[in-house]
Amino acid sequence: EYIYFLDDDNVLKPHALETLVGAARVSGAHVLTSLNEKWPSERRPPAAAEDTERFLPLGGAAVVGVFKNCFGDASALVRRDAFDTLGGFTQDINTGHEDWELWARAVLRGFRLEVVPEALYWYRLGPGGMLAESLGGGEMARVQLAANHERNLRPYVERLAGWPEAQALLRLAQGMYDAAQELHR
């Protein structure tokens, strides 16, 4: 009935699946994401940490999703029938944002994406991870960011099929947002 995705460097908390399945049954959501707690270590995450950085996604805010991943991480519970209808993850070699792309596609096609307001897994920040590498800067990071953002724009561009001017405006808006973010770093 449900599929749960978890990145290989993340650690699921013991009560996570029970919490997510219960929330899915009560809410009727097709996709459920949650908060995560970040920890910069190769070791096992702590049992509890009050001072950890947390990521709280907004949920199914499609307009915000053009600019920022407001949907949540790849770690998510998805109804199997919704996943099959959406066609699953796309496969682009050496490009990230497959989760952002799929969650945007789900929301734009009318599937409900909800966020459980509890940290249900630890998100590892370590050397060699995609987030660590993308924060390194430089020309390679900019090329990677552009490829990633082209991917997460795909569902929006698909929705605007037949409107090339609107597709161009969408790409322009996202590019301007990225440039503004770069200025603030």
Side-chain angles (χ1 to χ4, degrees):
E1 186 178 0
Y2 299 102
I3 304 170
Y4 186 76
F5 296 98
L6 182 70
D7 282 342
D8 62 349
D9 57 349
N10 294 341
V11 177
L12 197 60
K13 294 190 176 187
H15 64 288
L17 292 178
E18 180 181 353
T19 301
L20 287 162
V21 170
R25 290 192 171 133
V26 168
S27 70
H30 300 94
V31 178
L32 276 164
T33 61
S34 71
L35 277 80
N36 66 41
E37 293 184 270
K38 294 178 175 42
W39 100 100
S41 176
E42 293 296 320
R43 296 183 314 237
R44 186 174 180 82
E50 294 301 317
D51 63 343
T52 187
E53 178 186 343
R54 290 179 175 88
F55 168 56
L56 170 61
L58 293 174
V63 173
V64 175
V66 170
F67 305 103
K68 296 284 279 182
N69 180 0
C70 62
F71 306 118
D73 189 53
S75 298
L77 184 81
V78 184
R79 281 187 21 196
R80 177 65 186 238
D81 58 346
F83 185 76
D84 290 343
T85 299
L86 291 164
F89 294 102
T90 59
Q91 296 182 19
D92 293 9
I93 304 300
N94 297 323
T95 305
H97 293 199
E98 66 280 354
D99 50 337
W100 186 350
E101 177 190 17
L102 182 59
W103 309 151
R105 180 172 285 115
V107 170
L108 290 170
R109 290 190 51 192
F111 291 93
R112 282 192 49 215
L113 185 149
E114 300 291 341
V115 177
V116 174
E118 178 182 354
L120 296 177
Y121 65 98
W122 290 94
Y123 184 101
R124 185 188 314 262
L125 297 173
M130 286 190 341
L131 183 58
E133 290 174 11
S134 68
L135 295 176
E139 184 59 28
M140 187 62 157
R142 281 190 287 281
V143 169
Q144 184 67 47
L145 181 67
N148 289 349
H149 281 193
E150 184 62 29
R151 183 180 197 171
N152 61 260
L153 267 186
R154 207 180 281 157
Y156 297 91
V157 170
E158 291 168 0
R159 289 284 293 208
L160 296 171
W163 297 3
E165 297 85 2
Q167 292 172 338
L169 283 172
L170 186 68
R171 288 188 173 99
L172 175 63
Q174 187 187 63
M176 291 174 69
Y177 176 84
D178 289 343
Q181 294 301 302
E182 186 67 29
L183 288 174
H184 288 36
R185 287 186 187 153

